[in-house]
Amino acid sequence: MPVIRSSPAIVLRSWAYGESDKIVSFLTRDYGKIRGIAKGAKRSRKRFLNVLEPFTLVQLRFHQRSNSPLAFVHACDWVYVFRGITRTLAKIAHASYLVEITDELTRDGDDSLSLFDHLRDGLRFLEENEASTEFLTAFELTLLRLAGFQPTLEHCQRCGVRPSPGNGRWEFSPRDGGVLCRGCSGLRRESVPLSTEALDILAHFQRHGWMHGETPVFSPPALRETRAVVPLFIQYQISKKLKSAAFLDGSFH
Ligand SMILES: [Zn+2]
């Protein structure tokens, strides 16, 4: 008899499979990311009624199959839907982005209690608040750390020199996995210029995350600079374009 497991899970995405089934990607609290097949999900509305939609928290029951990378989904019981997200297109776009980068940066079976909590808290935040640059950047940098892709921001990735008022120009190099000082960045064509203030902002959010209600102390131009860097780094890590990132451009300042 297969061992049936149960865990709270957030639906990351689902797609049709064959005539009547769906494949669903879940971020579970207890077993990491699970991809499973929900038999009859396209036809039997009763069995998986509206629970395989994005922004839904479910109690997932499944078992792993020895002959397939896909788990078998026994049941998905509705726990909570982040309904507040569907109020505006901007919220949907931002929430889709959080879900997409979480899905892309996690591997099946990643140990994930903190990843699950991080995504759930991010979606909860968006239910009640508009996304800000501070929120997005802190969400991304925390996700990168939890998923094991933390970029080097405290010092030059190559020579180790730290930012100081005297060396004001930096470059972010996705290929090097972090920032380079001016002297080290000379040969990198694909790196992105970064002011010391923008670098400070990134290092701040990487270290502390972002508390809702924190008084913004960063200048808008420096904040905007950070948006040119972090999604680029994520795309480099996953080796593809993010579908939902295009909808965010210009939608916040
Ligand atoms: Zn250097």
Side-chain angles (χ1 to χ4, degrees), residues 155-161 170 179-185:
H155 55 82
C156 173
Q157 172 75 355
R158 286 203 188 155
C159 73
V161 69
W170 289 77
V179 292
L180 299 176
C181 71
R182 190 169 212 166
C184 291
S185 65

Side-chain angles (χ1 to χ4, degrees), residues 160-216:
V161 69
R162 289 180 177 274
S164 69
N167 53 6
R169 207 62 209 173
W170 289 77
E171 302 266 337
F172 186 92
S173 167
R175 182 188 288 258
D176 289 279
V179 292
L180 299 176
C181 71
R182 190 169 212 166
C184 291
S185 65
L187 297 173
R188 281 273 178 249
R189 262 200 246 141
E190 72 275 31
S191 59
V192 181
L194 209 54
S195 65
T196 314
E197 190 185 355
L199 181 53
D200 277 350
I201 295 172
L202 291 174
H204 172 86
F205 288 140
Q206 187 179 67
R207 234 179 287 130
H208 306 294
W210 180 64
M211 303 292 285
H212 180 44
E214 196 178 324
T215 316

Side-chain angles (χ1 to χ4, degrees), residues 90-234:
K91 282 178 190 277
I92 292 172
H94 286 108
S96 300
Y97 177 70
L98 304 192
V99 168
E100 185 183 2
I101 59 176
T102 303
D103 191 18
E104 294 289 353
L105 287 168
T106 49
R107 289 166 295 263
D108 288 4
D110 261 357
D111 180 22
S112 68
L113 175 56
S114 43
L115 284 166
F116 174 89
D117 287 349
H118 184 55
L119 179 59
R120 184 200 54 203
D121 293 350
L123 294 176
R124 273 194 188 147
F125 175 85
L126 280 182
E127 279 203 290
E128 303 295 330
N129 306 278
E130 297 305 323
S132 61
T133 303
E134 291 91 331
F135 164 75
L136 279 178
T137 307
F139 183 93
E140 291 164 330
L141 288 169
T142 304
L143 172 64
L144 285 164
R145 176 169 55 75
L146 294 174
F149 296 100
Q150 176 162 308
T152 301
L153 299 170
E154 308 274 344
H155 55 82
C156 173
Q157 172 75 355
R158 286 203 188 155
C159 73
V161 69
R162 289 180 177 274
S164 69
N167 53 6
R169 207 62 209 173
W170 289 77
E171 302 266 337
F172 186 92
S173 167
R175 182 188 288 258
D176 289 279
V179 292
L180 299 176
C181 71
R182 190 169 212 166
C184 291
S185 65
L187 297 173
R188 281 273 178 249
R189 262 200 246 141
E190 72 275 31
S191 59
V192 181
L194 209 54
S195 65
T196 314
E197 190 185 355
L199 181 53
D200 277 350
I201 295 172
L202 291 174
H204 172 86
F205 288 140
Q206 187 179 67
R207 234 179 287 130
H208 306 294
W210 180 64
M211 303 292 285
H212 180 44
E214 196 178 324
T215 316
V217 290
F218 305 114
S219 76
L223 274 171
R224 271 197 295 278
E225 273 186 72
T226 66
R227 299 312 306 155
V229 165
V230 189
L232 184 76
F233 180 65
I234 292 172

